[in-house]
Amino acid sequence: MKWIQRLFNRTHAATKGRIVPIFFTNTLTRSKELFMPKRPGLVTMYSCGPTVYNRAHIGNLRAYVFADTIARVLIKAGYRVRRVINITDVGHLVGDNDEGEDKMAVGAAREKTTPEAIADLYTKLFIDDLSELNIDTADIQFPRATSYINEQIALAKTLEEKGFAYRIKNGLAFDTSRFPGYGKLGNLDLSVQRVGARVEADAEKRHPADFWLWRTAKPHDLQQWDSPWGRGNPGWHIECSAMSRTLLGPEIDIHTGGEDHIAVHHNNEIAQSEAAHGRSFVRYWMHNAFLTMNGERASKSLGNVVYLSDITAKGFNPIALRYFFLQAHYRTPISFSWDSLGGAANALERLWRISMHIAEESARVSEPSEMRDHFIIALCDDLNTSQALSILWESLRSEDYSPEEKWGLIEDADALLGLSLVHPPVEDVAAATLPEDVQSLLARREEARSRKDFDEADQLRTLIEKSGYRVDDGPDGAVLTRTTL
Ligand code: AMP
Ligand code: ZN
């Protein structure tokens, strides 16, 4: 941390505060590296998006809050960030083998409609969920795979022409043996790799890791397009290679996804893109760990999922989920429970109260301070959000800083963590708006405290809590927080 601080001071001074050094863990090198974008001042970033045949669950949403945090840190450091999250609206097979049904067809059959209507509905719900989590969706491109079929065909054709693909009865397959270094992401050992859930099985493939670039349609397939290999649909991986190149250029700075994508999907993206274009595809690969439920990865196929709509239906503010995610480092698995979400919601609301109080005291005037630097350094150090939150809490509770310095920290924290601290979405529970009985309990408690009768003050605190408010004693008196959102 000390050497990062020194580097920060140097870079900070040299660039008048515009660019600070940022370190990210790169899955490709398995080490923490100084982040340097390809072009000065601009970062290109691609995040694998959802298959829109049903809602995104909160495990998926962790992946996008993670990507959003990266973008916030980069923007704060002075970069322009161009972002893409793809929308997979082509139905890849549920079981990833030749027998499985395609996901969009499953969704369409379930809701007795077309794949297009399913895609429209769940794309909208996905983007709404992101907005509710304070992700600025206006700044992100959400390309749909079905709008880039020509680009995917062109890429598959290039691979075939260059000898990286071979035809099989039901399509065109990528020949992983022709691509040196296949499996470099996550150091995949092909000699022990078995045909797993997401490794495509087909008797005609030369190696279990070889994968479809194009799959011949079955007559009943709802989605099919013409191609040099007959009517069919693109393989699962090719859309990301094609769309990232079209929208962000041949070499992108950052590519994100959940760690489940490392072994197959991302190795296959690398193989396709680098084989076709003969150059490096991604400079920094970044992956988030899983959100788990009762010790197991939350996933649609296991059925152990919770949606953001379940969370809001229980009266939680969606930002409580964001706070819950940020409590852990992105490379650490997090275990979801309603109790731990409740804890996050309470902490967040307390933070909101403190922030409202400091807004008043500082008249929203901000000043620089050392703690703001520490806070930013923690986030620039591979997005250490848990440490950043500790710095935030400690500093806001400390009597060593002025209200203006604290307000400066709140503004930084708001920009970097997206927790709505500058304009908290809570009712004003200033003393005047409290119910009369609570006001009188609060006054009696203040009076007991001034007499240093802490037993009575504690009893009164319990009564206030029973009325639905938590009491936090700050430097300027008690801050009350409604305990039910
Ligand atoms: P999918 O629709 O399955 O491709 O998932 C969308 C994104 O969510 C991908 O980046 C996945 O790696 C990620 N993801 C899926 N399940 C989880 C989970 N339980 N925890 C964290 N990220 C996940
Ligand atoms: Zn992808």
Side-chain angles (χ1 to χ4, degrees), residues 42-109:
L42 174 71
V43 178
T44 49
M45 182 165 151
Y46 185 95
S47 305
C48 288
T51 305
V52 282
Y53 73 120
N54 55 18
R55 286 199 88 130
H57 57 76
I58 59 171
N60 303 137
L61 295 177
R62 181 183 195 194
Y64 303 108
V65 169
F66 155 59
D68 184 60
T69 311
I70 299 176
R72 284 172 179 269
V73 167
L74 293 168
I75 291 166
K76 180 77 184 168
Y79 293 108
R80 242 173 4 101
V81 183
R82 270 173 56 204
R83 294 193 57 190
V84 169
I85 299 178
N86 65 300
I87 298 293
T88 303
D89 59 349
V90 173
H92 303 298
L93 301 182
V94 172
D96 282 320
N97 64 44
D98 204 18
E99 305 308 314
E101 273 184 289
D102 110 28
K103 287 178 184 162
M104 294 307 294
V106 167

Side-chain angles (χ1 to χ4, degrees), residues 99-254:
E99 305 308 314
E101 273 184 289
D102 110 28
K103 287 178 184 162
M104 294 307 294
V106 167
R110 186 187 61 228
E111 297 182 25
K112 298 188 179 51
T113 181
T114 60
E116 292 72 33
I118 287 290
D120 284 349
L121 171 66
Y122 290 110
T123 301
K124 181 185 179 303
L125 292 177
F126 171 64
I127 294 174
D128 287 351
D129 279 357
L130 299 190
S131 301
E132 287 204 60
L133 288 167
N134 272 356
I135 295 173
D136 183 0
T137 54
D139 250 18
I140 305 172
Q141 283 181 276
F142 293 97
R144 290 177 174 216
T146 51
S147 306
Y148 291 82
I149 297 293
N150 290 342
E151 288 79 356
Q152 295 174 67
I153 291 174
L155 180 56
K157 235 171 125 200
T158 304
L159 290 168
E160 190 180 28
E161 281 160 12
K162 291 194 171 182
F164 287 103
Y166 56 93
R167 289 188 189 219
I168 51 178
K169 183 172 81 287
N170 53 6
L172 183 73
F174 186 92
D175 186 350
T176 52
S177 72
R178 296 269 297 121
F179 181 69
Y182 178 79
K184 62 184 169 183
L185 197 64
N187 219 11
L188 211 64
D189 181 354
L190 286 184
S191 62
V192 296
Q193 193 185 346
R194 295 282 172 267
V195 180
R198 287 210 138 175
V199 179
E200 298 162 7
D202 189 290
E204 274 195 87
K205 286 195 194 134
R206 296 176 191 161
H207 189 281
D210 291 357
F211 55 91
W212 273 308
L213 296 169
W214 189 263
R215 193 174 65 92
T216 311
K218 305 241 170 57
H220 60 268
D221 279 354
L222 296 173
Q223 292 177 298
Q224 39 180 288
W225 294 267
D226 285 327
S227 83
W229 316 282
R231 279 187 78 72
N233 39 60
W236 171 35
H237 317 288
I238 197 145
E239 72 182 75
C240 290
S241 288
M243 292 195 287
S244 66
R245 182 180 171 84
T246 308
L247 296 168
L248 297 175
E251 190 184 26
I252 55 177
D253 290 308
I254 301 176

Side-chain angles (χ1 to χ4, degrees), residues 47-64 88 103 126 198 236 256-262 265-266 287-293 296-300 304-305 334:
S47 305
C48 288
T51 305
V52 282
Y53 73 120
N54 55 18
R55 286 199 88 130
H57 57 76
I58 59 171
N60 303 137
L61 295 177
R62 181 183 195 194
Y64 303 108
T88 303
K103 287 178 184 162
F126 171 64
R198 287 210 138 175
W236 171 35
T256 72
E259 62 186 2
D260 54 318
H261 280 346
I262 298 173
H265 181 50
H266 289 166
H287 294 95
N288 63 278
F290 288 141
L291 175 132
T292 62
M293 304 279 278
E296 270 190 307
R297 172 193 168 190
S299 84
K300 283 171 205 162
N304 57 348
V305 292
I334 42 173

